[in-house]
Amino acid sequence: MEARDIIIRPLITEKSTTLMAEGKYVFEVAKAANKIEIAKAVSTIFNVKVAGVNTINVEGKKKRMGRFVGKRRDYKKAIVKLAAGETIEFFEA
């Protein structure tokens, strides 16, 4: 897997913006990716040093539209902690 295939998109939420003050950034990642692959992908794409990675498998919520029941998709979320003094300019804008 290539680095651009592992990191799908950044997740910008209220909670993730508060984590940025601690040097933690949140990304949606490929379900098959492990913590080591995620750390290497973030370091190559953004040219930063990664201190740690936490991953969460998020189940999609069940949603109803009248009598029809559907489900949002499942995805994997990664919280990446950077080394001290490192930032990602993509999120600062």
Side-chain angles (χ1 to χ4, degrees):
M1 237 190 257
E2 210 172 301
R4 299 273 179 194
D5 297 331
I6 294 172
I7 305 296
I8 297 172
R9 67 186 178 106
L11 294 176
I12 312 287
T13 61
E14 191 173 345
K15 186 172 183 177
S16 68
T17 53
T18 58
L19 286 175
M20 286 183 212
E22 300 173 23
K24 296 179 181 179
Y25 296 88
V26 184
F27 297 96
E28 181 180 338
V29 296
K31 289 196 83 149
N34 60 30
K35 292 182 181 185
I36 297 166
E37 293 171 339
I38 294 167
K40 286 180 184 176
V42 170
S43 64
T44 57
I45 292 171
F46 298 108
N47 295 323
V48 292
K49 187 173 181 182
V50 176
V53 177
N54 294 327
T55 58
I56 303 139
N57 284 312
V58 181
E59 279 193 46
K61 293 181 178 181
K62 290 183 181 176
K63 291 292 182 179
R64 291 178 52 100
M65 186 68 106
R67 65 186 173 111
F68 302 104
V69 179
K71 183 176 168 279
R72 290 185 181 167
R73 64 185 184 86
D74 300 335
Y75 64 96
K76 190 173 195 175
K77 180 166 59 171
I79 301 172
V80 179
K81 182 169 176 58
L82 301 182
E86 297 277 346
T87 59
I88 298 176
E89 283 80 30
F90 177 79
F91 289 97
E92 305 302 319

